[in-house]
Amino acid sequence: MPVEITWWGHATCTVEDSGVRLLTDPLFARRLAHLRRRRGAVPPAEAAVADAVLVSHLHADHLHLPSLARLAPGTRLVVPRGARRAVPGLVRVAGARRLRVTEVAPGEETSVGRVRVRAVAARHDGRRLPFGPQLAPALGYVVTGAATTYFAGDTGLFDTIAEEVGPVDVALLPVGGWGPYLGPGHLDPGRAARALALLAPAAAVPVHYGTYWPIGMDAVRPHEFHAPGEEFARAAGLRAPGVAVRVPGHGERVRLP
């Protein structure tokens, strides 16, 4: 049975495998601080329906408390170990919505229905900015059911990515950001294509681009907003020609591999 991926924008995806519905880094806002959603409608109510939610790190565009408040009572929430201590608001939202919170660290696994979820390390500053020390690691997740799917969260390129992640069928890789410049700990289209060549999955989907942009900066390097998905597909064709790359639109569902 193939896995089905719906990209809702930014790093928010629904991964459907073996009858289990997982949601990554839900961000259902029209605006977040200085960021405005410039492409794609705010996801519909159905996007918040999930058996479990996987949160990669504590940045507000990945651990977004108002979006978590849209989840159905009793939804499972998988977060980096230390997240509840680092983000007191998470405890309040989880209590109000009766979310079942599981904290994980790299190498730890948990089961959701018929799939296994394994946390893997990411190379990214996962602090809840602008506050506090590093209280929780940034993570990626490997979901194993009928297929094996890697959601990278936010990460930089590192030489041991294939060793740490392991064999995968599908890779969901960040290829951009929410501003005209990417800092350390991120993948641009070229670095994401290099990561893809190391991982060597059957299929890949670019995420984390083309959704949010700083207010008042529409004319500043617009290429960095619009182009990363297609640039990744072109770069992947050169570095990893055996990988089938799909570039869905916002809200589009694709079946892989």
Side-chain angles (χ1 to χ4, degrees):
M1 178 191 300
V3 63
E4 294 184 332
I5 308 293
T6 304
W7 181 53
W8 300 109
H10 203 54
T12 306
C13 301
T14 295
V15 178
E16 296 177 81
D17 188 329
S18 304
V20 176
R21 194 175 161 98
L22 302 175
L23 179 65
T24 67
D25 288 351
L27 182 55
F28 301 142
R30 190 175 307 278
R31 178 174 172 176
L32 173 62
H34 65 298
L35 304 179
R36 174 171 58 89
R37 191 176 183 107
R38 284 186 55 201
R39 185 189 287 176
V42 173
E46 68 184 73
V49 177
D51 297 294
V53 171
L54 310 180
V55 173
S56 63
H57 61 288
L58 306 188
H59 290 173
D61 58 324
H62 294 260
L63 176 60
H64 185 243
L65 298 179
S67 294
L68 297 182
R70 287 181 50 179
L71 301 174
T75 301
R76 179 91 170 275
L77 184 60
V78 182
V79 299
R81 186 169 301 284
R84 284 178 289 195
R85 181 164 56 104
V87 186
L90 175 59
V91 177
R92 292 193 294 271
V93 170
R97 300 300 294 168
R98 302 196 303 278
L99 305 179
R100 297 178 291 129
V101 180
T102 300
E103 294 191 346
V104 292
E108 295 181 343
E109 288 192 4
T110 188
S111 295
V112 181
R114 296 169 61 193
V115 305
R116 295 195 327 275
V117 177
R118 175 169 55 92
V120 295
R123 303 306 194 266
H124 189 69
D125 181 353
R127 290 177 295 172
R128 186 68 165 186
L129 300 176
F131 310 108
Q134 184 81 28
L135 295 177
L139 302 175
Y141 293 98
V142 179
V143 176
T144 302
T148 300
T149 301
Y150 170 47
F151 168 63
D154 250 354
T155 187
L157 179 64
F158 53 103
D159 292 339
T160 59
I161 187 170
E163 177 185 342
E164 294 187 33
V165 171
V168 295
D169 301 305
V170 178
L172 309 180
L173 296 178
V175 300
W178 48 252
Y181 303 102
L182 285 173
H186 294 86
L187 297 177
D188 62 13
R191 291 193 293 271
R194 288 165 58 193
L196 189 68
L198 295 171
L199 291 164
V205 173
V207 301
H208 204 278
Y209 77 100
T211 308
Y212 292 92
W213 207 245
I215 293 169
M217 297 187 68
D218 291 10
V220 178
R221 297 177 64 85
H223 175 81
E224 300 295 337
F225 176 82
H226 292 284
E230 294 298 341
E231 285 189 353
F232 168 72
R234 288 192 292 272
L238 297 175
R239 287 191 171 271
V243 180
V245 176
R246 299 288 297 274
V247 185
H250 289 79
E252 183 179 352
R253 184 179 186 178
V254 295
R255 178 172 290 196
L256 303 165

